[in-house]
Amino acid sequence: MHPFRAAVENRDHAAIEALLAEDVVFTSPVAFRPYPGKAITAAILRGVMRVFTDFAYVREIAGEDGRDHALVFTAKVGDMEINGCDFLHFDEGGRIDDFTVMVRPLSAAQALSAAMGAQFDRIKEEALAEAGAAEGGH
């Protein structure tokens, strides 16, 4: 089992964040522009963990060089079932530098968009606090 999958399944926020590169780019299934940086990506992932219930990875696919992984998942947003995939690329140091999520069906993606929209003020606050702490050397 990939360490990222284990961290997510154990809801281990610190382990998840430790696997993110400082320059990671997160591409959301429900936002037009990608989000660059570890602080915002970590905050988004915490938000997703608050929104999703019954989350489970059901398949793991690895590229030949070990630097690309696809993790297929199922979850619920409210009472809506969602299927998706986390596409991860790892840098030379083994940290995630590209994180793209795709989900289906459209109705579940819309429910996810609404649920994450409701979380976004908190996500931005967490990201700003984390970025400030990182700059302060903490």
Side-chain angles (χ1 to χ4, degrees), residues 46-93:
R46 287 190 299 272
V48 169
M49 292 178 93
R50 291 188 295 266
V51 166
F52 279 159
T53 59
D54 298 337
F55 182 91
Y57 283 119
V58 296
R59 190 173 329 139
E60 185 174 326
I61 305 161
E64 288 183 26
D65 66 359
R67 292 183 59 190
D68 289 290
H69 286 267
L71 300 171
V72 181
F73 65 85
T74 60
K76 285 188 176 178
V77 178
D79 61 356
M80 182 92 45
E81 292 186 17
I82 194 166
N83 303 99
C85 190
D86 292 338
F87 294 97
L88 310 175
H89 181 268
F90 294 82
D91 64 16
E92 293 85 13

mmCIF file of all heavy atoms in Angstrom, residues 46-93:
data_model
loop_
_atom_site.group_PDB
_atom_site.id
_atom_site.type_symbol
_atom_site.label_atom_id
_atom_site.label_comp_id
_atom_site.label_asym_id
_atom_site.label_seq_id
_atom_site.Cartn_x
_atom_site.Cartn_y
_atom_site.Cartn_z
ATOM 1 N N ARG A 46 -7.665 18.717 4.094
ATOM 2 C CA ARG A 46 -8.365 18.644 5.392
ATOM 3 C C ARG A 46 -9.850 18.937 5.204
ATOM 4 O O ARG A 46 -10.708 18.286 5.814
ATOM 5 C CB ARG A 46 -7.736 19.608 6.399
ATOM 6 C CG ARG A 46 -6.386 19.157 6.918
ATOM 7 C CD ARG A 46 -5.907 19.996 8.093
ATOM 8 N NE ARG A 46 -5.746 21.399 7.774
ATOM 9 C CZ ARG A 46 -4.629 21.956 7.278
ATOM 10 N NH1 ARG A 46 -3.572 21.198 7.053
ATOM 11 N NH2 ARG A 46 -4.575 23.243 7.037
ATOM 12 N N GLY A 47 -10.164 19.912 4.352
ATOM 13 C CA GLY A 47 -11.559 20.237 4.063
ATOM 14 C C GLY A 47 -12.290 19.068 3.431
ATOM 15 O O GLY A 47 -13.424 18.749 3.790
ATOM 16 N N VAL A 48 -11.627 18.405 2.481
ATOM 17 C CA VAL A 48 -12.234 17.238 1.823
ATOM 18 C C VAL A 48 -12.515 16.147 2.840
ATOM 19 O O VAL A 48 -13.572 15.507 2.808
ATOM 20 C CB VAL A 48 -11.322 16.716 0.681
ATOM 21 C CG1 VAL A 48 -11.784 15.369 0.175
ATOM 22 C CG2 VAL A 48 -11.269 17.721 -0.458
ATOM 23 N N MET A 49 -11.596 15.958 3.776
ATOM 24 C CA MET A 49 -11.802 14.923 4.793
ATOM 25 C C MET A 49 -12.975 15.256 5.709
ATOM 26 O O MET A 49 -13.602 14.349 6.262
ATOM 27 C CB MET A 49 -10.512 14.688 5.580
ATOM 28 C CG MET A 49 -9.436 14.043 4.718
ATOM 29 S SD MET A 49 -7.883 13.795 5.592
ATOM 30 C CE MET A 49 -8.140 12.130 6.187
ATOM 31 N N ARG A 50 -13.278 16.543 5.854
ATOM 32 C CA ARG A 50 -14.456 16.924 6.636
ATOM 33 C C ARG A 50 -15.745 16.702 5.845
ATOM 34 O O ARG A 50 -16.797 16.446 6.418
ATOM 35 C CB ARG A 50 -14.359 18.394 7.064
ATOM 36 C CG ARG A 50 -13.280 18.672 8.090
ATOM 37 C CD ARG A 50 -13.343 20.082 8.637
ATOM 38 N NE ARG A 50 -13.066 21.119 7.657
ATOM 39 C CZ ARG A 50 -11.870 21.670 7.430
ATOM 40 N NH1 ARG A 50 -10.805 21.258 8.098
ATOM 41 N NH2 ARG A 50 -11.736 22.634 6.536
ATOM 42 N N VAL A 51 -15.673 16.819 4.517
ATOM 43 C CA VAL A 51 -16.855 16.744 3.651
ATOM 44 C C VAL A 51 -17.210 15.301 3.283
ATOM 45 O O VAL A 51 -18.370 14.922 3.297
ATOM 46 C CB VAL A 51 -16.627 17.594 2.379
ATOM 47 C CG1 VAL A 51 -17.644 17.289 1.301
ATOM 48 C CG2 VAL A 51 -16.639 19.076 2.727
ATOM 49 N N PHE A 52 -16.193 14.501 2.951
ATOM 50 C CA PHE A 52 -16.441 13.115 2.539
ATOM 51 C C PHE A 52 -16.778 12.237 3.735
ATOM 52 O O PHE A 52 -16.156 12.345 4.793
ATOM 53 C CB PHE A 52 -15.207 12.510 1.871
ATOM 54 C CG PHE A 52 -15.010 12.869 0.423
ATOM 55 C CD1 PHE A 52 -13.746 12.747 -0.142
ATOM 56 C CD2 PHE A 52 -16.037 13.299 -0.379
ATOM 57 C CE1 PHE A 52 -13.529 13.041 -1.480
ATOM 58 C CE2 PHE A 52 -15.836 13.601 -1.718
ATOM 59 C CZ PHE A 52 -14.577 13.469 -2.263
ATOM 60 N N THR A 53 -17.746 11.338 3.539
ATOM 61 C CA THR A 53 -17.995 10.248 4.488
ATOM 62 C C THR A 53 -17.857 8.948 3.729
ATOM 63 O O THR A 53 -17.868 8.924 2.490
ATOM 64 C CB THR A 53 -19.396 10.354 5.128
ATOM 65 O OG1 THR A 53 -20.390 10.316 4.090
ATOM 66 C CG2 THR A 53 -19.540 11.631 5.940
ATOM 67 N N ASP A 54 -17.707 7.872 4.451
ATOM 68 C CA ASP A 54 -17.576 6.533 3.858
ATOM 69 C C ASP A 54 -16.488 6.494 2.785
ATOM 70 O O ASP A 54 -16.615 5.796 1.779
ATOM 71 C CB ASP A 54 -18.907 6.044 3.276
ATOM 72 C CG ASP A 54 -19.987 5.902 4.324
ATOM 73 O OD1 ASP A 54 -19.653 5.752 5.515
ATOM 74 O OD2 ASP A 54 -21.177 5.957 3.967
ATOM 75 N N PHE A 55 -15.395 7.242 2.997
ATOM 76 C CA PHE A 55 -14.317 7.296 2.017
ATOM 77 C C PHE A 55 -13.520 6.003 2.041
ATOM 78 O O PHE A 55 -13.165 5.497 3.106
ATOM 79 C CB PHE A 55 -13.377 8.470 2.317
ATOM 80 C CG PHE A 55 -12.268 8.598 1.313
ATOM 81 C CD1 PHE A 55 -12.439 9.397 0.198
ATOM 82 C CD2 PHE A 55 -11.080 7.908 1.471
ATOM 83 C CE1 PHE A 55 -11.427 9.516 -0.750
ATOM 84 C CE2 PHE A 55 -10.066 8.017 0.533
ATOM 85 C CZ PHE A 55 -10.242 8.821 -0.579
ATOM 86 N N ALA A 56 -13.234 5.467 0.846
ATOM 87 C CA ALA A 56 -12.392 4.271 0.746
ATOM 88 C C ALA A 56 -11.690 4.253 -0.606
ATOM 89 O O ALA A 56 -12.317 4.512 -1.642
ATOM 90 C CB ALA A 56 -13.232 3.010 0.896
ATOM 91 N N TYR A 57 -10.396 3.963 -0.568
ATOM 92 C CA TYR A 57 -9.696 3.678 -1.818
ATOM 93 C C TYR A 57 -10.035 2.249 -2.210
ATOM 94 O O TYR A 57 -10.024 1.348 -1.374
ATOM 95 C CB TYR A 57 -8.188 3.832 -1.651
ATOM 96 C CG TYR A 57 -7.724 5.266 -1.629
ATOM 97 C CD1 TYR A 57 -7.075 5.794 -0.529
ATOM 98 C CD2 TYR A 57 -7.939 6.104 -2.724
ATOM 99 C CE1 TYR A 57 -6.642 7.106 -0.514
ATOM 100 C CE2 TYR A 57 -7.512 7.425 -2.715
ATOM 101 C CZ TYR A 57 -6.861 7.919 -1.608
ATOM 102 O OH TYR A 57 -6.436 9.223 -1.589
ATOM 103 N N VAL A 58 -10.346 2.048 -3.486
ATOM 104 C CA VAL A 58 -10.741 0.723 -3.945
ATOM 105 C C VAL A 58 -9.747 0.124 -4.942
ATOM 106 O O VAL A 58 -9.810 -1.068 -5.226
ATOM 107 C CB VAL A 58 -12.165 0.736 -4.558
ATOM 108 C CG1 VAL A 58 -13.197 1.094 -3.500
ATOM 109 C CG2 VAL A 58 -12.254 1.687 -5.738
ATOM 110 N N ARG A 59 -8.834 0.942 -5.436
ATOM 111 C CA ARG A 59 -7.830 0.443 -6.382
ATOM 112 C C ARG A 59 -6.645 1.392 -6.375
ATOM 113 O O ARG A 59 -6.788 2.596 -6.221
ATOM 114 C CB ARG A 59 -8.401 0.358 -7.798
ATOM 115 C CG ARG A 59 -7.485 -0.370 -8.752
ATOM 116 C CD ARG A 59 -8.110 -0.623 -10.127
ATOM 117 N NE ARG A 59 -9.544 -0.809 -10.071
ATOM 118 C CZ ARG A 59 -10.396 -0.295 -10.963
ATOM 119 N NH1 ARG A 59 -9.958 0.419 -11.966
ATOM 120 N NH2 ARG A 59 -11.681 -0.509 -10.852
ATOM 121 N N GLU A 60 -5.471 0.811 -6.580
ATOM 122 C CA GLU A 60 -4.234 1.580 -6.623
ATOM 123 C C GLU A 60 -3.475 1.162 -7.873
ATOM 124 O O GLU A 60 -3.253 -0.028 -8.092
ATOM 125 C CB GLU A 60 -3.429 1.268 -5.358
ATOM 126 C CG GLU A 60 -2.187 2.058 -5.183
ATOM 127 C CD GLU A 60 -1.530 1.778 -3.836
ATOM 128 O OE1 GLU A 60 -2.237 1.530 -2.836
ATOM 129 O OE2 GLU A 60 -0.287 1.814 -3.807
ATOM 130 N N ILE A 61 -3.113 2.129 -8.696
ATOM 131 C CA ILE A 61 -2.408 1.854 -9.949
ATOM 132 C C ILE A 61 -1.110 2.654 -9.927
ATOM 133 O O ILE A 61 -1.133 3.865 -9.699
ATOM 134 C CB ILE A 61 -3.255 2.268 -11.170
ATOM 135 C CG1 ILE A 61 -4.628 1.581 -11.119
ATOM 136 C CG2 ILE A 61 -2.530 1.954 -12.470
ATOM 137 C CD1 ILE A 61 -5.678 2.235 -11.991
ATOM 138 N N ALA A 62 0.021 1.983 -10.169
ATOM 139 C CA ALA A 62 1.316 2.657 -10.121
ATOM 140 C C ALA A 62 1.985 2.618 -11.488
ATOM 141 O O ALA A 62 1.925 1.609 -12.194
ATOM 142 C CB ALA A 62 2.219 1.991 -9.092
ATOM 143 N N GLY A 63 2.628 3.722 -11.834
ATOM 144 C CA GLY A 63 3.422 3.782 -13.053
ATOM 145 C C GLY A 63 4.692 2.958 -12.892
ATOM 146 O O GLY A 63 5.117 2.655 -11.777
ATOM 147 N N GLU A 64 5.299 2.619 -14.012
ATOM 148 C CA GLU A 64 6.485 1.758 -13.985
ATOM 149 C C GLU A 64 7.624 2.330 -13.169
ATOM 150 O O GLU A 64 8.343 1.601 -12.499
ATOM 151 C CB GLU A 64 6.962 1.484 -15.420
ATOM 152 C CG GLU A 64 6.050 0.547 -16.171
ATOM 153 C CD GLU A 64 6.572 0.227 -17.561
ATOM 154 O OE1 GLU A 64 7.797 0.302 -17.775
ATOM 155 O OE2 GLU A 64 5.743 -0.105 -18.423
ATOM 156 N N ASP A 65 7.811 3.653 -13.210
ATOM 157 C CA ASP A 65 8.931 4.260 -12.489
ATOM 158 C C ASP A 65 8.594 4.599 -11.041
ATOM 159 O O ASP A 65 9.432 5.101 -10.299
ATOM 160 C CB ASP A 65 9.447 5.496 -13.223
ATOM 161 C CG ASP A 65 8.442 6.641 -13.269
ATOM 162 O OD1 ASP A 65 7.316 6.491 -12.742
ATOM 163 O OD2 ASP A 65 8.786 7.690 -13.837
ATOM 164 N N GLY A 66 7.356 4.333 -10.609
ATOM 165 C CA GLY A 66 6.950 4.588 -9.231
ATOM 166 C C GLY A 66 6.654 6.042 -8.920
ATOM 167 O O GLY A 66 6.325 6.372 -7.787
ATOM 168 N N ARG A 67 6.761 6.906 -9.900
ATOM 169 C CA ARG A 67 6.548 8.327 -9.642
ATOM 170 C C ARG A 67 5.136 8.790 -9.976
ATOM 171 O O ARG A 67 4.776 9.929 -9.688
ATOM 172 C CB ARG A 67 7.581 9.158 -10.391
ATOM 173 C CG ARG A 67 8.978 8.930 -9.784
ATOM 174 C CD ARG A 67 10.038 9.760 -10.396
ATOM 175 N NE ARG A 67 9.747 11.184 -10.256
ATOM 176 C CZ ARG A 67 10.447 12.117 -10.881
ATOM 177 N NH1 ARG A 67 11.446 11.795 -11.665
ATOM 178 N NH2 ARG A 67 10.145 13.385 -10.721
ATOM 179 N N ASP A 68 4.340 7.927 -10.577
ATOM 180 C CA ASP A 68 2.945 8.248 -10.883
ATOM 181 C C ASP A 68 2.052 7.195 -10.250
ATOM 182 O O ASP A 68 2.304 5.994 -10.378
ATOM 183 C CB ASP A 68 2.720 8.276 -12.403
ATOM 184 C CG ASP A 68 3.369 9.475 -13.045
ATOM 185 O OD1 ASP A 68 2.886 10.597 -12.820
ATOM 186 O OD2 ASP A 68 4.378 9.287 -13.755
ATOM 187 N N HIS A 69 1.018 7.692 -9.574
ATOM 188 C CA HIS A 69 0.053 6.795 -8.939
ATOM 189 C C HIS A 69 -1.355 7.308 -9.193
ATOM 190 O O HIS A 69 -1.588 8.517 -9.201
ATOM 191 C CB HIS A 69 0.275 6.719 -7.418
ATOM 192 C CG HIS A 69 1.466 5.936 -7.030
ATOM 193 N ND1 HIS A 69 1.419 4.603 -6.741
ATOM 194 C CD2 HIS A 69 2.756 6.298 -6.909
ATOM 195 C CE1 HIS A 69 2.638 4.172 -6.449
ATOM 196 N NE2 HIS A 69 3.462 5.190 -6.545
ATOM 197 N N ALA A 70 -2.269 6.363 -9.383
ATOM 198 C CA ALA A 70 -3.693 6.675 -9.465
ATOM 199 C C ALA A 70 -4.373 5.874 -8.364
ATOM 200 O O ALA A 70 -4.189 4.660 -8.272
ATOM 201 C CB ALA A 70 -4.256 6.299 -10.832
ATOM 202 N N LEU A 71 -5.114 6.580 -7.517
ATOM 203 C CA LEU A 71 -5.824 5.946 -6.412
ATOM 204 C C LEU A 71 -7.313 6.164 -6.622
ATOM 205 O O LEU A 71 -7.811 7.292 -6.509
ATOM 206 C CB LEU A 71 -5.372 6.542 -5.079
ATOM 207 C CG LEU A 71 -3.877 6.392 -4.760
ATOM 208 C CD1 LEU A 71 -3.518 7.213 -3.529
ATOM 209 C CD2 LEU A 71 -3.523 4.939 -4.547
ATOM 210 N N VAL A 72 -8.020 5.097 -6.942
ATOM 211 C CA VAL A 72 -9.452 5.155 -7.224
ATOM 212 C C VAL A 72 -10.198 5.065 -5.890
ATOM 213 O O VAL A 72 -9.866 4.239 -5.039
ATOM 214 C CB VAL A 72 -9.869 4.002 -8.165
ATOM 215 C CG1 VAL A 72 -11.356 4.066 -8.476
ATOM 216 C CG2 VAL A 72 -9.032 4.032 -9.452
ATOM 217 N N PHE A 73 -11.206 5.941 -5.719
ATOM 218 C CA PHE A 73 -11.925 5.959 -4.455
ATOM 219 C C PHE A 73 -13.435 6.033 -4.644
ATOM 220 O O PHE A 73 -13.939 6.399 -5.698
ATOM 221 C CB PHE A 73 -11.455 7.126 -3.563
ATOM 222 C CG PHE A 73 -11.739 8.499 -4.102
ATOM 223 C CD1 PHE A 73 -12.970 9.118 -3.899
ATOM 224 C CD2 PHE A 73 -10.763 9.199 -4.801
ATOM 225 C CE1 PHE A 73 -13.222 10.396 -4.380
ATOM 226 C CE2 PHE A 73 -10.997 10.477 -5.282
ATOM 227 C CZ PHE A 73 -12.235 11.079 -5.069
ATOM 228 N N THR A 74 -14.130 5.682 -3.564
ATOM 229 C CA THR A 74 -15.565 5.902 -3.433
ATOM 230 C C THR A 74 -15.771 6.678 -2.137
ATOM 231 O O THR A 74 -14.964 6.592 -1.209
ATOM 232 C CB THR A 74 -16.360 4.581 -3.378
ATOM 233 O OG1 THR A 74 -15.924 3.828 -2.246
ATOM 234 C CG2 THR A 74 -16.186 3.766 -4.646
ATOM 235 N N ALA A 75 -16.843 7.451 -2.092
ATOM 236 C CA ALA A 75 -17.162 8.227 -0.889
ATOM 237 C C ALA A 75 -18.601 8.702 -1.003
ATOM 238 O O ALA A 75 -19.284 8.440 -2.002
ATOM 239 C CB ALA A 75 -16.215 9.422 -0.751
ATOM 240 N N LYS A 76 -19.031 9.422 0.013
ATOM 241 C CA LYS A 76 -20.330 10.081 -0.016
ATOM 242 C C LYS A 76 -20.140 11.547 0.310
ATOM 243 O O LYS A 76 -19.280 11.919 1.121
ATOM 244 C CB LYS A 76 -21.297 9.462 0.989
ATOM 245 C CG LYS A 76 -21.858 8.124 0.562
ATOM 246 C CD LYS A 76 -22.937 7.680 1.520
ATOM 247 C CE LYS A 76 -23.570 6.386 1.043
ATOM 248 N NZ LYS A 76 -24.582 5.927 2.003
ATOM 249 N N VAL A 77 -20.943 12.370 -0.332
ATOM 250 C CA VAL A 77 -21.078 13.781 0.002
ATOM 251 C C VAL A 77 -22.542 13.932 0.364
ATOM 252 O O VAL A 77 -23.409 13.835 -0.506
ATOM 253 C CB VAL A 77 -20.701 14.699 -1.187
ATOM 254 C CG1 VAL A 77 -20.896 16.153 -0.802
ATOM 255 C CG2 VAL A 77 -19.282 14.443 -1.654
ATOM 256 N N GLY A 78 -22.815 14.098 1.656
ATOM 257 C CA GLY A 78 -24.206 14.030 2.092
ATOM 258 C C GLY A 78 -24.701 12.615 1.823
ATOM 259 O O GLY A 78 -24.052 11.642 2.194
ATOM 260 N N ASP A 79 -25.833 12.499 1.116
ATOM 261 C CA ASP A 79 -26.331 11.159 0.774
ATOM 262 C C ASP A 79 -26.011 10.775 -0.669
ATOM 263 O O ASP A 79 -26.498 9.776 -1.179
ATOM 264 C CB ASP A 79 -27.839 11.064 1.036
ATOM 265 C CG ASP A 79 -28.645 12.047 0.198
ATOM 266 O OD1 ASP A 79 -28.045 12.862 -0.537
ATOM 267 O OD2 ASP A 79 -29.890 11.985 0.272
ATOM 268 N N MET A 80 -25.171 11.567 -1.310
ATOM 269 C CA MET A 80 -24.807 11.352 -2.713
ATOM 270 C C MET A 80 -23.523 10.531 -2.811
ATOM 271 O O MET A 80 -22.504 10.881 -2.214
ATOM 272 C CB MET A 80 -24.604 12.724 -3.379
ATOM 273 C CG MET A 80 -24.266 12.687 -4.828
ATOM 274 S SD MET A 80 -25.668 12.790 -5.934
ATOM 275 C CE MET A 80 -26.651 14.086 -5.261
ATOM 276 N N GLU A 81 -23.583 9.420 -3.562
ATOM 277 C CA GLU A 81 -22.392 8.597 -3.771
ATOM 278 C C GLU A 81 -21.528 9.209 -4.860
ATOM 279 O O GLU A 81 -22.041 9.704 -5.871
ATOM 280 C CB GLU A 81 -22.783 7.171 -4.140
ATOM 281 C CG GLU A 81 -23.432 6.440 -2.982
ATOM 282 C CD GLU A 81 -23.685 4.975 -3.277
ATOM 283 O OE1 GLU A 81 -23.088 4.430 -4.224
ATOM 284 O OE2 GLU A 81 -24.491 4.390 -2.537
ATOM 285 N N ILE A 82 -20.210 9.176 -4.620
ATOM 286 C CA ILE A 82 -19.261 9.765 -5.554
ATOM 287 C C ILE A 82 -18.151 8.754 -5.830
ATOM 288 O O ILE A 82 -17.772 7.988 -4.949
ATOM 289 C CB ILE A 82 -18.710 11.099 -4.994
ATOM 290 C CG1 ILE A 82 -17.989 11.906 -6.051
ATOM 291 C CG2 ILE A 82 -17.823 10.884 -3.791
ATOM 292 C CD1 ILE A 82 -17.741 13.359 -5.637
ATOM 293 N N ASN A 83 -17.694 8.719 -7.063
ATOM 294 C CA ASN A 83 -16.544 7.917 -7.464
ATOM 295 C C ASN A 83 -15.480 8.882 -7.954
ATOM 296 O O ASN A 83 -15.807 9.878 -8.602
ATOM 297 C CB ASN A 83 -16.884 6.959 -8.618
ATOM 298 C CG ASN A 83 -18.026 6.047 -8.286
ATOM 299 O OD1 ASN A 83 -19.149 6.306 -8.675
ATOM 300 N ND2 ASN A 83 -17.749 4.985 -7.562
ATOM 301 N N GLY A 84 -14.234 8.574 -7.666
ATOM 302 C CA GLY A 84 -13.194 9.480 -8.113
ATOM 303 C C GLY A 84 -11.840 8.835 -8.167
ATOM 304 O O GLY A 84 -11.671 7.649 -7.874
ATOM 305 N N CYS A 85 -10.874 9.652 -8.563
ATOM 306 C CA CYS A 85 -9.507 9.183 -8.659
ATOM 307 C C CYS A 85 -8.560 10.327 -8.300
ATOM 308 O O CYS A 85 -8.730 11.450 -8.777
ATOM 309 C CB CYS A 85 -9.218 8.673 -10.067
ATOM 310 S SG CYS A 85 -7.642 7.806 -10.187
ATOM 311 N N ASP A 86 -7.596 10.009 -7.450
ATOM 312 C CA ASP A 86 -6.504 10.922 -7.142
ATOM 313 C C ASP A 86 -5.335 10.529 -8.035
ATOM 314 O O ASP A 86 -4.868 9.386 -7.976
ATOM 315 C CB ASP A 86 -6.078 10.795 -5.674
ATOM 316 C CG ASP A 86 -7.124 11.280 -4.693
ATOM 317 O OD1 ASP A 86 -7.990 12.092 -5.091
ATOM 318 O OD2 ASP A 86 -7.081 10.856 -3.525
ATOM 319 N N PHE A 87 -4.878 11.454 -8.859
ATOM 320 C CA PHE A 87 -3.716 11.236 -9.709
ATOM 321 C C PHE A 87 -2.544 11.973 -9.065
ATOM 322 O O PHE A 87 -2.587 13.199 -8.922
ATOM 323 C CB PHE A 87 -3.955 11.769 -11.125
ATOM 324 C CG PHE A 87 -5.017 11.026 -11.864
ATOM 325 C CD1 PHE A 87 -6.321 11.506 -11.917
ATOM 326 C CD2 PHE A 87 -4.733 9.832 -12.511
ATOM 327 C CE1 PHE A 87 -7.311 10.825 -12.596
ATOM 328 C CE2 PHE A 87 -5.723 9.128 -13.192
ATOM 329 C CZ PHE A 87 -7.015 9.633 -13.234
ATOM 330 N N LEU A 88 -1.526 11.224 -8.664
ATOM 331 C CA LEU A 88 -0.398 11.789 -7.940
ATOM 332 C C LEU A 88 0.884 11.632 -8.741
ATOM 333 O O LEU A 88 1.138 10.558 -9.308
ATOM 334 C CB LEU A 88 -0.221 11.071 -6.598
ATOM 335 C CG LEU A 88 -1.455 10.923 -5.714
ATOM 336 C CD1 LEU A 88 -1.128 10.079 -4.489
ATOM 337 C CD2 LEU A 88 -1.990 12.278 -5.308
ATOM 338 N N HIS A 89 1.693 12.680 -8.753
ATOM 339 C CA HIS A 89 3.040 12.594 -9.319
ATOM 340 C C HIS A 89 4.011 12.968 -8.212
ATOM 341 O O HIS A 89 3.771 13.908 -7.457
ATOM 342 C CB HIS A 89 3.224 13.537 -10.510
ATOM 343 C CG HIS A 89 4.596 13.426 -11.095
ATOM 344 N ND1 HIS A 89 5.634 14.226 -10.687
ATOM 345 C CD2 HIS A 89 5.095 12.584 -12.030
ATOM 346 C CE1 HIS A 89 6.720 13.878 -11.357
ATOM 347 N NE2 HIS A 89 6.425 12.886 -12.169
ATOM 348 N N PHE A 90 5.102 12.218 -8.125
ATOM 349 C CA PHE A 90 6.089 12.410 -7.078
ATOM 350 C C PHE A 90 7.386 12.955 -7.660
ATOM 351 O O PHE A 90 7.837 12.512 -8.721
ATOM 352 C CB PHE A 90 6.356 11.081 -6.358
ATOM 353 C CG PHE A 90 5.155 10.585 -5.609
ATOM 354 C CD1 PHE A 90 4.149 9.891 -6.268
ATOM 355 C CD2 PHE A 90 5.001 10.850 -4.266
ATOM 356 C CE1 PHE A 90 3.018 9.454 -5.589
ATOM 357 C CE2 PHE A 90 3.881 10.426 -3.580
ATOM 358 C CZ PHE A 90 2.884 9.729 -4.241
ATOM 359 N N ASP A 91 7.980 13.908 -6.938
ATOM 360 C CA ASP A 91 9.260 14.475 -7.369
ATOM 361 C C ASP A 91 10.399 13.503 -7.030
ATOM 362 O O ASP A 91 10.169 12.414 -6.489
ATOM 363 C CB ASP A 91 9.471 15.868 -6.761
ATOM 364 C CG ASP A 91 9.581 15.867 -5.230
ATOM 365 O OD1 ASP A 91 9.798 14.802 -4.608
ATOM 366 O OD2 ASP A 91 9.444 16.962 -4.652
ATOM 367 N N GLU A 92 11.638 13.920 -7.312
ATOM 368 C CA GLU A 92 12.799 13.057 -7.064
ATOM 369 C C GLU A 92 12.953 12.705 -5.594
ATOM 370 O O GLU A 92 13.510 11.667 -5.247
ATOM 371 C CB GLU A 92 14.085 13.733 -7.561
ATOM 372 C CG GLU A 92 14.165 13.907 -9.056
ATOM 373 C CD GLU A 92 13.457 15.179 -9.543
ATOM 374 O OE1 GLU A 92 13.110 16.055 -8.709
ATOM 375 O OE2 GLU A 92 13.223 15.276 -10.752
ATOM 376 N N GLY A 93 12.458 13.572 -4.715
ATOM 377 C CA GLY A 93 12.552 13.330 -3.279
ATOM 378 C C GLY A 93 11.425 12.486 -2.714
ATOM 379 O O GLY A 93 11.363 12.252 -1.507
#
